[in-house]
Short mmCIF file of all heavy atoms in Angstrom, two decimals:
data_model
loop_
_atom_site.label_atom_id
_atom_site.label_comp_id
_atom_site.label_asym_id
_atom_site.label_seq_id
_atom_site.Cartn_x
_atom_site.Cartn_y
_atom_site.Cartn_z
N ARG A 82 189.57 32.34 5.10
CA ARG A 82 190.74 31.58 4.75
C ARG A 82 190.54 30.08 4.97
O ARG A 82 190.93 29.28 4.15
CB ARG A 82 191.94 32.11 5.57
CG ARG A 82 193.28 31.48 5.16
CD ARG A 82 194.32 31.70 6.18
NE ARG A 82 194.00 31.05 7.45
CZ ARG A 82 194.17 29.71 7.66
NH1 ARG A 82 194.62 28.93 6.69
NH2 ARG A 82 193.83 29.19 8.81
N GLN A 83 189.88 29.74 6.10
CA GLN A 83 189.61 28.31 6.40
C GLN A 83 188.65 27.72 5.39
O GLN A 83 188.83 26.56 5.00
CB GLN A 83 189.06 28.18 7.81
CG GLN A 83 190.07 28.40 8.92
CD GLN A 83 189.45 28.22 10.30
OE1 GLN A 83 188.74 29.10 10.81
NE2 GLN A 83 189.66 27.06 10.90
N ILE A 84 187.63 28.49 4.98
CA ILE A 84 186.70 27.95 3.99
C ILE A 84 187.42 27.72 2.66
O ILE A 84 187.21 26.68 2.00
CB ILE A 84 185.52 28.93 3.83
CG1 ILE A 84 184.71 29.03 5.12
CG2 ILE A 84 184.58 28.44 2.69
CD1 ILE A 84 183.60 30.03 5.07
N GLN A 85 188.25 28.69 2.25
CA GLN A 85 188.93 28.54 0.99
C GLN A 85 189.95 27.39 1.03
O GLN A 85 190.15 26.71 0.01
CB GLN A 85 189.68 29.85 0.68
CG GLN A 85 188.75 31.00 0.36
CD GLN A 85 189.47 32.31 0.20
OE1 GLN A 85 190.57 32.52 0.79
NE2 GLN A 85 188.89 33.26 -0.53
N ALA A 86 190.54 27.14 2.20
CA ALA A 86 191.47 26.01 2.35
C ALA A 86 190.79 24.67 2.60
O ALA A 86 191.45 23.66 2.72
CB ALA A 86 192.43 26.31 3.48
N ASN A 87 189.44 24.69 2.67
CA ASN A 87 188.66 23.49 2.94
C ASN A 87 189.13 22.81 4.20
O ASN A 87 189.37 21.59 4.26
CB ASN A 87 188.76 22.50 1.77
CG ASN A 87 187.61 21.52 1.74
OD1 ASN A 87 186.61 21.70 2.43
ND2 ASN A 87 187.76 20.47 0.94
N ASP A 88 189.27 23.62 5.28
CA ASP A 88 189.74 23.13 6.55
C ASP A 88 188.71 22.17 7.15
O ASP A 88 187.55 22.55 7.36
CB ASP A 88 189.95 24.34 7.47
CG ASP A 88 190.67 23.95 8.76
OD1 ASP A 88 190.72 22.72 9.05
OD2 ASP A 88 191.16 24.85 9.48
N GLY A 89 189.14 20.95 7.46
CA GLY A 89 188.22 19.95 7.99
C GLY A 89 187.74 20.26 9.39
O GLY A 89 186.72 19.71 9.83
N ALA A 90 188.43 21.15 10.13
CA ALA A 90 188.04 21.51 11.49
C ALA A 90 186.88 22.49 11.51
O ALA A 90 186.27 22.68 12.58
CB ALA A 90 189.23 22.04 12.27
N LEU A 91 186.57 23.12 10.40
CA LEU A 91 185.51 24.11 10.36
C LEU A 91 184.23 23.54 9.76
O LEU A 91 184.17 23.25 8.59
CB LEU A 91 185.96 25.32 9.52
CG LEU A 91 184.98 26.51 9.46
CD1 LEU A 91 184.82 27.13 10.82
CD2 LEU A 91 185.47 27.55 8.46
N GLU A 92 183.25 23.31 10.61
CA GLU A 92 181.98 22.74 10.15
C GLU A 92 180.80 23.72 10.37
O GLU A 92 179.75 23.55 9.79
CB GLU A 92 181.67 21.43 10.90
CG GLU A 92 182.67 20.30 10.57
CD GLU A 92 182.28 19.00 11.18
OE1 GLU A 92 181.29 18.97 11.94
OE2 GLU A 92 182.92 17.97 10.88
N ASP A 93 180.98 24.73 11.25
CA ASP A 93 179.90 25.66 11.57
C ASP A 93 180.44 27.08 11.42
O ASP A 93 181.33 27.49 12.14
CB ASP A 93 179.41 25.43 13.01
CG ASP A 93 178.20 26.27 13.35
OD1 ASP A 93 177.85 27.14 12.53
OD2 ASP A 93 177.60 26.04 14.42
N VAL A 94 179.90 27.80 10.45
CA VAL A 94 180.28 29.20 10.20
C VAL A 94 179.17 30.11 10.70
O VAL A 94 178.04 30.09 10.16
CB VAL A 94 180.56 29.47 8.70
CG1 VAL A 94 180.89 30.92 8.46
CG2 VAL A 94 181.66 28.55 8.21
N ASN A 95 179.47 30.90 11.73
CA ASN A 95 178.50 31.78 12.36
C ASN A 95 178.98 33.21 12.23
O ASN A 95 179.89 33.64 12.98
CB ASN A 95 178.27 31.39 13.82
CG ASN A 95 177.22 32.26 14.51
OD1 ASN A 95 176.70 33.17 13.93
ND2 ASN A 95 176.94 31.95 15.75
N LEU A 96 178.39 34.01 11.34
CA LEU A 96 178.74 35.41 11.18
C LEU A 96 177.60 36.32 11.58
O LEU A 96 177.52 37.45 11.17
CB LEU A 96 179.08 35.64 9.69
CG LEU A 96 180.20 34.79 9.08
CD1 LEU A 96 180.44 35.17 7.62
CD2 LEU A 96 181.52 34.98 9.87
N ASN A 97 176.72 35.84 12.45
CA ASN A 97 175.52 36.58 12.86
C ASN A 97 175.89 37.91 13.51
O ASN A 97 176.84 38.01 14.33
CB ASN A 97 174.69 35.76 13.84
CG ASN A 97 174.11 34.51 13.20
OD1 ASN A 97 174.14 34.38 11.99
ND2 ASN A 97 173.52 33.65 14.02
N ASN A 98 175.12 38.95 13.13
CA ASN A 98 175.20 40.28 13.77
C ASN A 98 176.55 40.98 13.62
O ASN A 98 176.81 41.90 14.36
CB ASN A 98 174.84 40.17 15.24
CG ASN A 98 173.49 39.58 15.49
OD1 ASN A 98 172.49 39.99 14.90
ND2 ASN A 98 173.41 38.54 16.35
N ILE A 99 177.30 40.61 12.62
CA ILE A 99 178.51 41.33 12.30
C ILE A 99 178.16 42.34 11.19
O ILE A 99 177.97 41.94 10.03
CB ILE A 99 179.66 40.41 11.88
CG1 ILE A 99 179.94 39.37 12.97
CG2 ILE A 99 180.92 41.18 11.58
CD1 ILE A 99 181.08 38.39 12.65
N LYS A 100 178.07 43.60 11.55
CA LYS A 100 177.47 44.58 10.62
C LYS A 100 178.47 45.10 9.57
O LYS A 100 178.08 45.61 8.53
CB LYS A 100 176.97 45.79 11.41
CG LYS A 100 176.05 45.45 12.59
CD LYS A 100 174.74 44.91 12.07
CE LYS A 100 173.76 44.71 13.26
NZ LYS A 100 172.46 44.13 12.86
N ASP A 101 179.76 44.99 9.84
CA ASP A 101 180.72 45.68 8.98
C ASP A 101 181.42 44.75 7.97
O ASP A 101 182.50 45.06 7.49
CB ASP A 101 181.77 46.39 9.81
CG ASP A 101 182.49 45.46 10.80
OD1 ASP A 101 182.03 44.31 10.95
OD2 ASP A 101 183.47 45.88 11.43
N ILE A 102 180.81 43.62 7.66
CA ILE A 102 181.41 42.73 6.68
C ILE A 102 181.20 43.30 5.28
O ILE A 102 180.04 43.51 4.90
CB ILE A 102 180.80 41.31 6.75
CG1 ILE A 102 180.93 40.75 8.18
CG2 ILE A 102 181.50 40.38 5.77
CD1 ILE A 102 180.31 39.36 8.35
N PRO A 103 182.23 43.53 4.51
CA PRO A 103 182.02 44.05 3.15
C PRO A 103 181.25 43.06 2.29
O PRO A 103 181.33 41.86 2.47
CB PRO A 103 183.46 44.25 2.64
CG PRO A 103 184.31 44.31 3.87
CD PRO A 103 183.65 43.42 4.86
N ILE A 104 180.50 43.59 1.34
CA ILE A 104 179.75 42.75 0.42
C ILE A 104 180.68 41.82 -0.38
O ILE A 104 180.38 40.65 -0.61
CB ILE A 104 178.92 43.62 -0.55
CG1 ILE A 104 177.88 44.44 0.23
CG2 ILE A 104 178.20 42.77 -1.57
CD1 ILE A 104 176.88 43.61 1.04
N SER A 105 181.85 42.36 -0.72
CA SER A 105 182.81 41.53 -1.49
C SER A 105 183.28 40.34 -0.66
O SER A 105 183.46 39.23 -1.19
CB SER A 105 184.01 42.40 -1.87
OG SER A 105 184.62 42.97 -0.73
N THR A 106 183.40 40.50 0.67
CA THR A 106 183.84 39.40 1.53
C THR A 106 182.71 38.37 1.63
O THR A 106 182.96 37.15 1.59
CB THR A 106 184.19 39.93 2.94
OG1 THR A 106 185.23 40.88 2.83
CG2 THR A 106 184.65 38.79 3.82
N LEU A 107 181.47 38.80 1.75
CA LEU A 107 180.35 37.86 1.80
C LEU A 107 180.24 37.06 0.51
O LEU A 107 179.98 35.83 0.52
CB LEU A 107 179.05 38.63 2.07
CG LEU A 107 178.90 39.26 3.47
CD1 LEU A 107 177.65 40.15 3.50
CD2 LEU A 107 178.79 38.19 4.55
N LYS A 108 180.44 37.73 -0.60
CA LYS A 108 180.42 37.05 -1.89
C LYS A 108 181.59 36.08 -2.02
O LYS A 108 181.45 34.99 -2.59
CB LYS A 108 180.44 38.06 -3.04
CG LYS A 108 179.18 38.93 -3.09
CD LYS A 108 179.31 40.05 -4.12
CE LYS A 108 179.31 39.54 -5.55
NZ LYS A 108 179.30 40.62 -6.51
N ALA A 109 182.75 36.45 -1.46
CA ALA A 109 183.91 35.57 -1.50
C ALA A 109 183.66 34.31 -0.64
O ALA A 109 184.09 33.19 -1.01
CB ALA A 109 185.15 36.29 -1.01
N ILE A 110 182.95 34.47 0.49
CA ILE A 110 182.63 33.31 1.33
C ILE A 110 181.67 32.37 0.56
O ILE A 110 181.89 31.17 0.57
CB ILE A 110 181.94 33.80 2.63
CG1 ILE A 110 182.99 34.52 3.52
CG2 ILE A 110 181.29 32.64 3.37
CD1 ILE A 110 182.39 35.14 4.78
N CYS A 111 180.69 32.91 -0.12
CA CYS A 111 179.81 32.08 -0.91
C CYS A 111 180.55 31.39 -2.07
O CYS A 111 180.27 30.21 -2.37
CB CYS A 111 178.68 32.93 -1.47
SG CYS A 111 177.56 33.61 -0.20
N GLU A 112 181.50 32.10 -2.68
CA GLU A 112 182.30 31.51 -3.75
C GLU A 112 183.11 30.35 -3.24
O GLU A 112 183.22 29.28 -3.88
CB GLU A 112 183.17 32.58 -4.38
CG GLU A 112 184.02 32.12 -5.55
CD GLU A 112 183.18 31.79 -6.78
OE1 GLU A 112 182.04 32.34 -6.90
OE2 GLU A 112 183.60 30.96 -7.60
N ALA A 113 183.73 30.54 -2.05
CA ALA A 113 184.55 29.49 -1.49
C ALA A 113 183.70 28.29 -1.03
O ALA A 113 184.18 27.14 -1.04
CB ALA A 113 185.36 30.02 -0.31
N MET A 114 182.45 28.55 -0.68
CA MET A 114 181.56 27.46 -0.23
C MET A 114 181.19 26.54 -1.37
O MET A 114 180.69 25.44 -1.11
CB MET A 114 180.34 28.04 0.42
CG MET A 114 180.54 28.54 1.84
SD MET A 114 180.87 27.24 3.02
CE MET A 114 179.38 26.26 2.83
N LYS A 115 181.37 26.98 -2.58
CA LYS A 115 181.01 26.12 -3.72
C LYS A 115 181.76 24.78 -3.74
O LYS A 115 181.18 23.73 -4.03
CB LYS A 115 181.25 26.87 -5.04
CG LYS A 115 180.32 28.03 -5.34
CD LYS A 115 180.65 28.64 -6.69
CE LYS A 115 179.75 29.80 -7.00
NZ LYS A 115 180.08 30.43 -8.31
N THR A 116 183.02 24.85 -3.34
CA THR A 116 183.85 23.63 -3.40
C THR A 116 184.20 23.11 -2.00
O THR A 116 184.93 22.16 -1.88
CB THR A 116 185.17 23.99 -4.15
OG1 THR A 116 185.82 25.08 -3.51
CG2 THR A 116 184.87 24.29 -5.61
N ASN A 117 183.69 23.78 -0.96
CA ASN A 117 183.97 23.32 0.41
C ASN A 117 183.19 22.03 0.70
O ASN A 117 182.03 21.91 0.39
CB ASN A 117 183.61 24.41 1.42
CG ASN A 117 184.06 24.04 2.82
OD1 ASN A 117 183.46 23.26 3.52
ND2 ASN A 117 185.16 24.68 3.26
N THR A 118 183.85 21.10 1.34
CA THR A 118 183.24 19.79 1.60
C THR A 118 183.09 19.45 3.11
O THR A 118 182.86 18.33 3.46
CB THR A 118 184.03 18.68 0.95
OG1 THR A 118 185.39 18.68 1.40
CG2 THR A 118 184.05 18.80 -0.57
N HIS A 119 183.32 20.48 3.95
CA HIS A 119 183.29 20.26 5.40
C HIS A 119 182.25 21.09 6.12
O HIS A 119 181.67 20.61 7.12
CB HIS A 119 184.67 20.49 5.99
CG HIS A 119 185.70 19.51 5.51
ND1 HIS A 119 185.77 18.19 5.89
CD2 HIS A 119 186.73 19.69 4.65
CE1 HIS A 119 186.80 17.60 5.28
NE2 HIS A 119 187.40 18.48 4.52
N VAL A 120 181.99 22.33 5.69
CA VAL A 120 181.07 23.18 6.40
C VAL A 120 179.65 22.69 6.21
O VAL A 120 179.18 22.49 5.06
CB VAL A 120 181.18 24.64 5.88
CG1 VAL A 120 180.10 25.53 6.54
CG2 VAL A 120 182.57 25.20 6.15
N LYS A 121 178.97 22.41 7.31
CA LYS A 121 177.62 21.87 7.29
C LYS A 121 176.57 22.94 7.68
O LYS A 121 175.40 22.76 7.39
CB LYS A 121 177.48 20.69 8.23
CG LYS A 121 178.35 19.50 7.84
CD LYS A 121 178.18 18.33 8.83
CE LYS A 121 179.10 17.18 8.40
NZ LYS A 121 178.95 16.04 9.35
#
């Protein structure tokens, strides 16, 4: 939700070792990252 909202407080996204993330959610994160201007 923060990535999609382009939240300026979110600069580091760490999803390491979370095994149960659906593929659709991972693809949605990548889709939201296309227009995100804060996550480094």
Side-chain angles (χ1 to χ4, degrees):
R82 186 195 64 77
Q83 288 182 280
I84 296 175
Q85 292 173 335
N87 201 14
D88 189 345
L91 183 65
E92 295 186 354
D93 187 350
V94 177
N95 182 357
L96 304 179
N97 294 349
N98 302 310
I99 302 179
K100 308 291 186 183
D101 56 350
I102 305 178
I104 297 300
S105 58
T106 302
L107 292 171
K108 294 172 69 175
I110 290 174
C111 295
E112 183 67 28
M114 282 293 299
K115 290 181 179 180
T116 55
N117 187 282
T118 58
H119 296 286
V120 175
K121 297 180 180 179

